[in-house]
């Protein structure tokens, strides 16, 4: 049994999950549909978005994988798995380009998460200035969208625990 398997069944609040230089650490709360399929309850934040000093794509994706740590309503860790991001870099790059273009064109206020596939620019409540526009825009964070996390759940086969 590896060291992480030893924490399966522990409360998520009892385990320290530190970020790694080689992978994202994503503690994700899941729910179960009536059919028994598990799904993520929320998106996973990967970085803040600074409209005036946008992080480069290579800095944003300087990690090779994501470690998913699943826990349920009772905060008990149910499962974990590693998913390698390299297969999805083309889609991430396309999504990043859409978000960057909206920032460069002063149209962040028009950007929705539906404009991208896996990488989202999730809105926060705070309104801030944006480049090349007099309109204020909601502050944003880069996230892995629930759709992408569901893809990972399905590929890791989290539905069988």
């Amino acid at each position: 049994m590896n060291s992480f398997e030893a924490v399966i069944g522990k409360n998520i609040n009892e385990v320290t999950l530190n970020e790694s230089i080689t992978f994202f650490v994503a503690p994700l709360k899941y729910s179960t549909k009536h059919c028994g399929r598990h799904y993520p309850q929320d998106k996973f934040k990967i970085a803040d978005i600074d409209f005036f000093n946008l992080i480069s794509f290579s800095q944003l994706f300087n990690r090779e994988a994501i470690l998913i740590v699943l826990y349920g309503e009772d905060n008990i860790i149910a499962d974990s798995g590693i998913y390698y991001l390299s297969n999805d870099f083309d889609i991430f790059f396309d999504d990043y380009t859409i978000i960057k273009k909206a920032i460069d064109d002063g149209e962040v206020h028009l950007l929705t998460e539906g404009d991208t596939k896996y990488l989202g620019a999730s809105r926060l409540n705070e309104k801030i200035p944006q480049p090349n526009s007099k309109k204020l825009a909601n502050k944003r964070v880069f996230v892995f969208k629930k759709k992408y996390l569901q893809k990972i759940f399905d590929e890791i086969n989290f539905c069988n625990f």
Side-chain angles (χ1 to χ4, degrees):
M1 173 166 51
N2 71 34
S3 60
F4 195 80
E5 286 175 340
V7 302
I8 301 295
K10 287 193 176 182
N11 189 297
I12 191 73
N13 299 319
E14 296 174 10
V15 181
T16 303
L17 300 171
N18 296 321
E19 282 296 313
S20 165
I21 357 175
T22 56
F23 54 87
F24 293 103
V25 179
L28 296 175
K29 194 171 207 173
Y30 74 92
S31 290
T32 306
K33 295 183 179 184
H34 293 292
C35 64
R37 185 175 182 198
H38 302 303
Y39 64 95
Q41 281 193 359
D42 208 359
K43 308 166 251 200
F44 176 68
K45 176 188 169 185
I46 56 176
D48 291 328
I49 298 177
D50 180 345
F51 299 148
F52 294 93
N53 187 23
L54 188 63
I55 187 172
S56 71
F57 180 79
S58 60
Q59 288 174 311
L60 185 60
F61 287 99
N62 63 350
R63 295 179 176 114
E64 63 187 65
I66 182 170
L67 169 64
I68 303 282
V69 180
L70 287 184
Y71 65 97
E73 293 298 326
D74 53 4
N75 286 346
I76 301 299
I77 297 173
D79 206 350
S80 66
I82 292 183
Y83 181 83
Y84 291 91
L85 302 170
S86 58
N87 293 336
D88 304 317
F89 277 157
D90 289 343
I91 296 171
F92 291 143
F93 186 76
D94 290 345
D95 290 347
Y96 177 87
T97 302
I98 290 167
I99 294 166
K100 183 179 183 327
K101 182 175 179 353
I103 293 169
D104 292 344
D105 293 348
E107 296 181 344
V108 177
H109 60 285
L110 301 176
L111 188 63
T112 69
E113 283 190 53
D115 296 334
T116 56
K117 289 186 177 183
Y118 295 161
L119 178 68
S122 186
R123 291 179 185 190
L124 301 176
N125 287 333
E126 182 183 351
K127 295 264 191 179
I128 60 173
Q130 63 176 316
N132 304 316
S133 178
K134 293 181 181 180
K135 292 188 177 189
L136 294 178
N138 289 79
K139 189 174 181 177
R140 306 286 180 121
V141 292
F142 283 115
V143 296
F144 287 136
K145 294 169 60 168
K146 287 170 70 171
K147 172 184 175 179
Y148 182 62
L149 297 173
Q150 185 65 58
K151 173 187 182 288
I152 294 172
F153 277 34
D154 294 345
E155 289 189 26
I156 292 178
N157 200 15
F158 279 144
C159 60
N160 292 328
F161 59 85

